[in-house]
Amino acid sequence: MNISKKQRNNIIFLVIIALILIPQTRQPIQIVLHKGLALFSPSIEDESELKNITNYNWKLKDINGIAYNFNQSEGKVVLVNFWATWCPPCIAEMPSMQELYNDYSDKVDFVFISDEGQDVLKSFLSKKNYSFNVYIPSETPQIKLFEVRSIPRTFLLNKKGKIIIDKSGAANWNSETVRDKIDALLLE
């Protein structure tokens, strides 16, 4: 039995659709697709359009239950990332976040935020060998600019609280563009 090129293409298309519909294969496929999108660096905000954080008062707790107030980051270069363990674009960009964290954790405040349970977050971090800390909001953000409606969403703040990068969706956070910008912000 000979299968025509059109029939073969239809079969391949149906197999792909089936794999996307099956819950066990959907997330890995989405992660691979988002990793392709995460090859690009986030763009730097236009200097004339920079928004400013004026109120740093926001209570969080880390995955071990230790309280943290975001006001501890005031006056520092800060990377704030909203994410979840079930989010394919979040998972896709995490390796680049870990690489950036490895090199800048002693100079930049990394504030990874998820509203998932401590056990879920600990398990995910352990399974993926991520060493950064994750915070869970103890209250609604007091910072209006952090009212996030989709994840991942990441902000890079300078020492004066200006948002230098505001990125929704997966990105390559370990890019030369981001590293150069962070290096410049640290010198300010």
Side-chain angles (χ1 to χ4, degrees), residues 41-86:
S41 294
S43 56
I44 310 297
E45 298 292 314
D46 185 295
E47 193 71 33
S48 65
E49 306 274 325
L50 296 181
K51 296 175 184 161
N52 199 36
I53 303 290
T54 56
N55 176 6
Y56 279 78
N57 190 28
W58 182 24
K59 293 181 178 141
L60 308 161
K61 63 180 177 179
D62 73 11
I63 57 174
N64 297 310
I66 298 171
Y68 177 82
N69 193 320
F70 188 65
N71 64 17
Q72 292 173 250
S73 294
E74 191 169 3
K76 300 176 183 176
V77 175
V78 185
L79 186 133
V80 180
N81 176 259
F82 292 87
W83 71 288
T85 61
W86 50 262

Side-chain angles (χ1 to χ4, degrees), residues 26-45:
R26 181 182 316 131
Q27 188 182 48
I29 290 170
Q30 289 176 332
I31 291 169
V32 168
L33 292 173
H34 284 286
K35 279 191 179 188
L37 295 173
L39 293 174
F40 301 101
S41 294
S43 56
I44 310 297
E45 298 292 314

Side-chain angles (χ1 to χ4, degrees), residues 82-88 90-91 113-116 121 124 151:
F82 292 87
W83 71 288
T85 61
W86 50 262
C87 165
C90 301
I91 295 168
I113 299 169
S114 178
D115 61 2
E116 296 174 280
L121 293 166
F124 179 85
I151 55 175

